[in-house]
C-alpha cells in the first residue's frame, strides 16, 4: 500500500530496525553485517521518499541507480539512459551527477555512495541520425529486445554498428541502420570510474554482471580504481 504521507519516515524506521537487528544478531555470532540499499538518482524521487542523510546512519552504503534514466516507456524519443552529466540539449534530462550531488550536498559521506553502471542497453528503432544529432531524436518505436522490448545485454550490443561517445555528458551509444542504443562502452565506463575516484565515492556496482563480455566493463572500472589513490581501509569490516 502506498502511503505518500508516511512512506518516507516509515522507510527510515525500517532501515533503523534492520540495522538494530543485524547488529544484535552479529554480536551474538561474533560477526558484522553490512546493510545496503538501492537508492534513486532522480532528485524528485529522492526528495519525495528518501530521508538523506538520515538513512545513511543505518546503511553502510547506497547503490545509486545510474541507469534507466530513460527507456522504452518513452517509445518515440531516443536518448541517454545512463548519462553522467546533464545534457543541455534536452531540458527534461536527468543525470547521474544531479542525484549524487544532491546526496553530497546534504552531508552524505561520499564513501557511502556507489555508482550503478549498466551492463545493458536501451534501444529505439526508426531513428534517422546516429551521431550527436540523434540524441533526443524522434524514434518510430522501441527496438526489438532480448529480455524485454528495447533491452539487450552489453555483450549483444558491443559490436553493433558504430560506437559514439560524448565526453560532455559522459555517455556512449551505438547506431546501426536505424537502431539507436544507449549502452555503456569501455570508454564511457572509464570516464565514469575516473569521475567516481575524483569524487571520492565508494566505487561502483553493476546491473548486471551477466551482461558484461569477458570482464570488459568491470575490468575497465577496476583498472581505474587500482590506479587511483587508495581510500581508507576498515580492518574490522567483514570479508
Amino acid at each position: 500500500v502506498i502511503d505518500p504521507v508516511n512512506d518516507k519516515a516509515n522507510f527510515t524506521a525500517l532501515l533503523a530496525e534492520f540495522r538494530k537487528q543485524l547488529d544484535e544478531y552479529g554480536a551474538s555470532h561474533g560477526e558484522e553485517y553490512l546493510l545496503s540499499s538501492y537508492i534513486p538518482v532522480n532528485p524528485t524521487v529522492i526528495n519525495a521518499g528518501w530521508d538523506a542523510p538520515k538513512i545513511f546512519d543505518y546503511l553502510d552504503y547506497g547503490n545509486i541507480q545510474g541507469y534507466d534514466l530513460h527507456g522504452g516507456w518513452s517509445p518515440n524519443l531516443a536518448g541517454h539512459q545512463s548519462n553522467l552529466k546533464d545534457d543541455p540539449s534536452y531540458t527534461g534530462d536527468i543525470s547521474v551527477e544531479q542525484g549524487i550531488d544532491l546526496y553530497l550536498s546534504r552531508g552524505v559521506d561520499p564513501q557511502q555512495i556507489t555508482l550503478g553502471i549498466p551492463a545493458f542497453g536501451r534501444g529505439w528503432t526508426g531513428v534517422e541520425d546516429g551521431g550527436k544529432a540523434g540524441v533526443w531524436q524522434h524514434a518510430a518505436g522501441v527496438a526489438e529486445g532480448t529480455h524485454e522490448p528495447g533491452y539487450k545485454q552489453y555483450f549483444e550490443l558491443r559490436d553493433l554498428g558504430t560506437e559514439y561517445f560524448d565526453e560532455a555528458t559522459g555517455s556512449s551509444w551505438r547506431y546501426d541502420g536505424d537502431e539507436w542504443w544507449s549502452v555503456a562502452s569501455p570508454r564511457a565506463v572509464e570516464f565514469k570510474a575516473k569521475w567516481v575516484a575524483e569524487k571520492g565515492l565508494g566505487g561502483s556496482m553493476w546491473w548486471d554482471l551477466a551482461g558484461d563480455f569477458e570482464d570488459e566493463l568491470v575490468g575497465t572500472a577496476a583498472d581505474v580504481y587500482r590506479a587511483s589513490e587508495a581510500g581508507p581501509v576498515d580492518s574490522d569490516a567483514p570479508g
Side-chain angles (χ1 to χ4, degrees):
V1 178
I2 297 175
D3 182 356
V5 175
N6 299 301
D7 276 350
K8 189 173 185 176
N10 286 342
F11 180 67
T12 304
L14 178 65
L15 291 179
E17 182 63 23
F18 278 158
R19 181 74 274 163
K20 175 176 178 292
Q21 293 198 30
L22 279 174
D23 288 347
E24 290 174 352
Y25 183 79
S28 68
H29 289 74
E31 300 285 351
E32 292 185 18
Y33 295 100
L34 297 177
L35 180 62
S36 64
S37 174
Y38 144 90
I39 53 177
V41 73
N42 186 331
T44 300
V45 176
I46 296 168
N47 289 330
W50 299 74
D51 187 6
K54 185 64 177 176
I55 57 173
F56 286 89
D57 290 344
Y58 313 115
L59 293 173
D60 290 282
Y61 58 90
N63 298 312
I64 282 277
Q65 186 182 0
Y67 42 83
D68 287 348
L69 308 187
H70 187 65
W73 46 94
S74 298
N76 300 120
L77 184 66
H80 302 309
Q81 71 125 342
S82 62
N83 49 300
L84 178 63
K85 297 178 177 291
D86 294 346
D87 188 341
S89 68
Y90 180 53
T91 56
D93 186 31
I94 300 169
S95 70
V96 169
E97 188 173 53
Q98 283 181 26
I100 289 181
D101 281 351
L102 178 57
Y103 286 112
L104 298 180
S105 73
R106 293 184 176 173
V108 177
D109 185 342
Q111 296 173 52
Q112 289 183 270
I113 293 176
T114 66
L115 170 57
I117 303 176
F120 66 91
R122 296 276 182 191
W124 292 262
T125 189
V127 180
E128 294 184 357
D129 192 326
K132 291 184 180 180
V135 184
W136 311 117
Q137 185 180 196
H138 175 77
V142 179
E144 183 178 348
T146 303
H147 301 289
E148 64 182 78
Y151 182 108
K152 286 187 177 181
Q153 302 279 43
Y154 168 73
F155 67 79
E156 299 176 280
L157 296 169
R158 62 184 294 273
D159 294 321
L160 181 73
T162 302
E163 177 184 313
Y164 294 87
F165 173 74
D166 177 29
E167 187 168 324
T169 59
S171 303
S172 58
W173 61 95
R174 303 196 73 91
Y175 184 71
D176 182 48
D178 68 345
E179 286 196 2
W180 195 100
W181 286 87
S182 173
V183 58
S185 65
R187 186 177 178 188
V189 168
E190 180 182 23
F191 187 87
K192 289 180 178 180
K194 287 181 178 178
W195 184 86
V196 165
E198 290 168 0
K199 280 277 194 179
L201 304 184
S204 54
M205 55 80 68
W206 300 85
W207 190 273
D208 59 43
L209 294 177
D212 201 355
F213 176 80
E214 297 183 355
D215 200 35
E216 202 164 68
L217 300 182
V218 176
T220 295
D223 287 344
V224 172
Y225 299 144
R226 291 189 189 101
S228 301
E229 181 179 353
V233 176
D234 183 354
S235 60
D236 296 323

